[in-house]
């Protein structure tokens, strides 16, 4: 059975699709499954933002086949690890948790790089074009740490 990891942001079209594609590229597929979701419902069924697709493609990662979906309560039981991109995602997801076990699955992703600092991955949706590259580089760095940790823990 594979270890399941869920990446969560607001729209599931900019940050979490990148996080999904980047982490999946660093993990063996036979042991790990990575997915993503948004807390919002606007982009259900949509492809990732073209700017996320482009920055991923520049780094040889194809996220163009992903489709947006909304986070749901059942995800707490379906996934072993839930990484959220920012503090508002954290609040929105934690609000839906019913048990301590479910709450403990939810982590701010950049806390894996900067423990307890609660730093956000900034939402690039309304920002400057280079915001996507900045987000890509942040996620690449943290996913490297996460992948090493997961592989060590579940080998
Ligand atoms: P994401 O960015 O949470 O990184 O996917 C957003 C994309 C779309 C919207 C908000 C954030 N939106 O309001 O439509």
């Amino acid at each position: 059975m594979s270890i399941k990891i869920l990446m969560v942001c607001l729209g599931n079209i900019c940050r979490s699709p990148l996080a999904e594609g980047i982490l999946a590229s660093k993990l063996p597929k036979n042991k790990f499954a990575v997915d993503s979701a948004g807390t919002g419902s606007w982009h259900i069924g949509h492809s990732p933002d073209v700017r996320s697709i482009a920055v991923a493609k520049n780094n040889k990662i194809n996220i163009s086949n992903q489709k947006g979906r909304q986070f749901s309560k059942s995800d707490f039981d379906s996934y072993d690890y839930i990484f959220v991109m920012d503090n508002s995602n954290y609040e929105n997801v934690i609000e839906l948790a019913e048990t301590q076990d479910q709450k403990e699955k939810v982590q701010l992703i950049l806390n894996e790089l900067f423990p307890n600092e609660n730093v956000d991955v900034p939402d690039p949706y309304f920002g400057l074009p280079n915001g996507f590259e900045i987000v890509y580089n942040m996620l690449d760095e943290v996913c490297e740490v996460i992948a090493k940790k997961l592989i060590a823990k579940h080998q």
Side-chain angles (χ1 to χ4, degrees):
M1 222 182 65
S2 50
I3 307 298
K4 297 184 74 186
I5 303 117
L6 184 66
M7 300 297 194
V8 179
C9 65
L10 176 59
N12 193 210
I13 55 166
C14 297
R15 292 166 293 176
S16 59
L18 279 175
E20 173 187 337
I22 294 167
L23 184 64
S25 77
K26 297 178 191 289
L27 290 172
K29 285 187 187 21
N30 59 339
K31 253 192 180 169
F32 297 94
V34 191
D35 193 7
S36 65
T39 58
S41 60
W42 311 286
H43 299 290
I44 294 172
H46 296 183
S47 298
D49 189 286
V50 290
R51 297 163 293 178
S52 282
I53 293 176
V55 75
K57 193 175 172 195
N58 286 342
N59 290 278
K60 303 189 170 54
I61 291 175
N62 180 9
I63 63 165
S64 66
N65 298 322
Q66 293 183 25
K67 290 283 178 260
R69 75 164 179 89
Q70 190 171 23
F71 181 85
S72 82
K73 272 188 186 187
S74 64
D75 290 325
F76 286 116
D77 297 323
S78 307
Y79 291 88
D80 302 294
Y81 299 90
I82 298 171
F83 290 109
V84 295
M85 300 297 125
D86 67 28
N87 282 274
S88 72
N89 307 147
Y90 184 83
E91 296 301 324
N92 290 332
V93 170
I94 285 290
E95 222 165 66
L96 299 173
E98 283 165 354
T99 66
Q100 192 56 27
D101 190 48
Q102 292 180 339
K103 286 182 187 160
E104 282 169 9
K105 282 187 185 179
V106 187
Q107 298 294 336
L108 261 175
I109 192 166
L110 289 182
N111 277 353
E112 299 294 323
L113 267 183
F114 313 112
N116 305 315
E117 290 191 21
N118 300 337
V119 180
D120 289 343
V121 177
D123 188 344
Y125 189 61
F126 294 110
L128 299 170
N130 74 347
F132 283 79
E133 209 175 317
I134 292 167
V135 164
Y136 183 93
N137 290 334
M138 279 181 182
L139 290 173
D140 190 50
E141 198 178 337
V142 73
C143 285
E144 191 68 31
V145 173
I146 292 170
K148 284 199 174 121
K149 220 163 133 176
L150 287 174
I151 290 167
K153 192 165 176 193
H154 298 284
Q155 65 190 353

